[in-house]
Amino acid sequence: KKSKEQKALRLNINARERRRMHDLNDALDELRAVIPYAHSPSVRKLSKIATLLLAKNYILMQAQALEEMRRLVAYLNQGQAISAASLPSSAAAAAAAAAALHPALGAYEQAAGYPFSAGLPPATSCPEKC
């Protein structure tokens, strides 16, 4: 009688562990579906650890982008927008079009006074390879 109870207990424990692993695998599949990586049939499914590392790095990248957007909004709110007249003609046209859609968008153009463009080369036209 004791071995039957132990066997039933072991079967319950195994079933609970199997359910836990199925739930974990389902959660990782859902995570793989929302993180950016190639989902084609020719690409192998990410391992559990690779999925978690990619998700962590993606979250950190999104946090950095959010922080940069916050700095940009703070910069725009300071009223230090560059006037369209000081931009090159094509950039001025783009700034005017953006300003027509939303007044704050015209200030988004990168210019010498833009605080996040330090060390970047000036904007040029796209080469033929694009």
Side-chain angles (χ1 to χ4, degrees), residues 12-30:
N12 269 345
I13 291 170
N14 289 349
R16 190 170 50 242
E17 177 64 11
R18 204 170 16 263
R19 254 190 325 271
R20 187 187 72 80
M21 289 305 297
H22 282 291
D23 290 346
L24 177 62
N25 288 332
D26 290 344
L28 284 166
D29 286 338
E30 289 177 23

Side-chain angles (χ1 to χ4, degrees), residues 69-126:
M69 286 299 281
R70 285 183 178 138
R71 286 194 305 252
L72 175 63
V73 168
Y75 173 76
L76 292 174
N77 286 337
Q78 289 175 359
Q80 298 177 356
I82 305 300
S83 70
S86 67
L87 298 174
S89 63
S90 62
L101 293 174
H102 190 282
L105 292 178
Y108 189 72
E109 294 295 323
Q110 289 189 2
Y114 185 71
F116 311 113
S117 62
L120 295 176
T124 59
S125 63
C126 184

Side-chain angles (χ1 to χ4, degrees), residues 27-49:
L28 284 166
D29 286 338
E30 289 177 23
L31 184 57
R32 285 183 194 103
V34 297
I35 56 177
Y37 82 103
H39 294 281
S40 68
S42 63
V43 176
R44 284 181 48 180
K45 183 170 88 170
L46 291 174
S47 68
K48 292 175 184 178
I49 190 69

